[in-house]
Amino acid sequence: QSPDVLKCASLALRSDPAFLRQVFQVHGIALEHASEEARGHRELVLQAIRQNPRALRYASAELRADRELVLEAVRGGQPWMSCGSSALQCAVEELCVDVEIVRDAMHSIDPSPWRAKVTRDWMRLREAPDEVRSDKEIVMQALKDSFGMALALVAPVMQADKDVVMEAVRWRGQALEHASEALRSDRDVVLEAVKQDWEAMRFATEKPRSDREVILASLAGSGEALQYACGPLLDDRELVLQSVRHDGLAIKYFDRKFRDDPEVCLEAVKENWSALRHVGDKAFPREGGEVQDGTGHPVMSAAFDSMETRRLWRSRANVD
């Protein structure tokens, strides 16, 4: 008549497997009133959830983490789980089990809903099961839809896939942050990333940051990229000159010997007069050991005629 009748039975009956099998044929949910020993009995719990999937919530914690039992409950509970986008949460609350286990179970029953969800919204990768986040076709489409940002949400195996990472950094150079360490050391991957965004250099390992071609490619984006160079490249005067010609303020990242180098200082202030604050004393003439005011000195003349000064004057003229 009612599953609640079991709670009035003796402990012996509530622990008797033969008796409980008969009860669970009619009322699986009566597992709630079975003994603690019975609620940890896998065969009895399986019979209970086959009669009523919700019975799983009353099983022992160990059995609620059993993937096969969760799959059985999820499969049997499809009718009451048909609540649209909240089906996952509905199952988690009804079964009182871990969300990751339920997610995997739902996907194993029918993977097509997850594929459709990710196609509609790449952010759903955040809650998708590993099988979906490891699906290369789904991941590649998500990268296109997200302009490379989805790389942060895919499975590690995809973050270590060169094709996948190359696709991501073509869209967004700084997606390199989420690539595997091996690919952050890969010359081709890093070169592609810095071509798209020079700031991707900060996520590269030391090996590509010691590669002249990689540094040159990043310098095309900003002179500040040279700050990420490693090894002998930090002492490469030609790279330093190219850097300050692109961005005069990049001089602040360089060694004192370059900030005292007249030619480097001249090129820096030509691009931006503000670079003067980072120029070393040796770039100016001295008389009696004292630094002179620099009036008429090429560096000062260049500052007054720098590209930045011209931009400021043009901006002022347009306002006036």
Side-chain angles (χ1 to χ4, degrees):
Q1 296 292 320
S2 170
D4 292 335
V5 172
L6 185 62
K7 66 182 177 182
C8 300
S10 67
L11 178 61
L13 280 179
R14 290 187 289 115
S15 303
D16 185 332
F19 174 73
L20 290 174
R21 287 190 188 96
Q22 295 181 51
V23 173
F24 295 158
Q25 286 178 0
V26 181
H27 296 297
I29 203 69
L31 182 66
E32 176 184 5
H33 306 300
S35 68
E36 183 176 350
E37 180 185 358
R39 286 186 280 116
H41 191 297
R42 193 175 189 281
E43 183 185 344
L44 289 175
V45 170
L46 180 59
Q47 182 176 351
I49 62 178
R50 281 177 174 167
Q51 198 285 320
N52 188 329
R54 291 186 179 87
L56 182 61
R57 69 180 294 113
Y58 302 114
S60 66
E62 181 181 355
L63 293 183
R64 292 201 310 277
D66 185 308
R67 292 181 181 274
E68 291 183 11
L69 291 180
V70 174
L71 176 61
E72 187 71 30
V74 169
R75 182 183 288 116
Q78 284 295 302
W80 54 261
M81 276 169 41
S82 57
C83 44
S85 60
S86 63
L88 176 64
Q89 191 59 36
C90 178
V92 170
E93 292 175 359
E94 288 281 357
L95 302 178
C96 197
V97 294
D98 182 75
V99 64
E100 294 297 330
I101 299 177
V102 175
R103 182 182 291 125
D104 289 342
M106 293 177 71
H107 178 69
S108 66
I109 294 172
D110 184 4
S112 58
W114 273 112
R115 183 181 295 270
K117 289 175 184 177
V118 175
T119 300
R120 289 194 301 270
D121 180 4
W122 63 270
M123 288 288 287
R124 296 304 292 271
L125 277 171
R126 189 187 304 278
E127 55 194 49
D130 282 344
E131 189 174 342
V132 173
R133 296 187 297 118
S134 301
D135 186 307
K136 192 167 183 176
E137 183 182 350
I138 292 175
V139 167
M140 293 293 267
Q141 184 59 51
L143 290 173
K144 293 175 183 177
D145 294 341
S146 66
F147 301 101
M149 290 189 289
L151 189 65
L153 305 179
V154 303
V157 67
M158 291 289 96
Q159 294 174 334
D161 186 301
K162 187 169 181 176
D163 292 338
V164 169
V165 174
M166 286 288 276
E167 179 69 20
V169 298
R170 286 189 188 108
W171 287 101
R172 185 173 184 269
Q174 292 195 54
L176 184 65
E177 176 184 4
H178 305 292
S180 66
E181 185 174 357
L183 291 180
R184 288 188 289 111
S185 297
D186 187 286
R187 185 177 184 275
D188 296 336
V189 171
V190 175
L191 192 57
E192 194 69 35
V194 299
K195 285 179 179 177
Q196 202 284 323
D197 184 346
W198 69 270
E199 290 192 89
M201 279 295 295
R202 61 197 177 104
F203 302 116
T205 62
E206 187 172 334
K207 182 180 177 181
R209 289 192 285 119
S210 302
D211 187 302
R212 185 181 179 85
E213 186 179 349
V214 172
I215 294 297
L216 283 171
S218 62
L219 285 175
S222 171
E224 293 193 23
L226 196 57
Q227 66 182 293
Y228 297 113
C230 289
L233 295 182
L234 290 171
D235 290 321
D236 191 314
R237 190 169 182 274
E238 287 305 312
L239 284 179
V240 170
L241 283 168
Q242 182 166 335
S243 175
V244 297
R245 285 169 182 154
H246 194 283
D247 182 353
L249 288 177
I251 194 172
K252 65 186 176 183
Y253 298 113
F254 305 144
D255 187 79
R256 168 66 67 177
K257 67 181 179 182
F258 291 123
R259 289 186 281 121
D260 283 336
D261 185 311
E263 185 179 2
V264 171
C265 294
L266 181 62
E267 293 298 329
V269 298
K270 276 183 179 178
E271 200 286 320
N272 191 326
W273 65 269
S274 295
L276 274 173
R277 72 186 67 177
H278 305 293
V279 168
D281 293 343
K282 293 181 181 179
F284 291 97
R286 289 174 177 268
E287 186 175 313
E290 296 295 325
V291 179
Q292 303 302 301
D293 64 8
T295 303
H297 188 268
V299 173
M300 290 300 295
S301 298
F304 284 112
D305 196 37
S306 72
M307 293 173 62
E308 182 65 18
T309 303
R310 293 176 186 177
R311 284 194 288 267
L312 287 171
W313 279 110
R314 282 198 296 270
S315 175
R316 174 85 177 261
N318 289 335
V319 170
D320 293 344

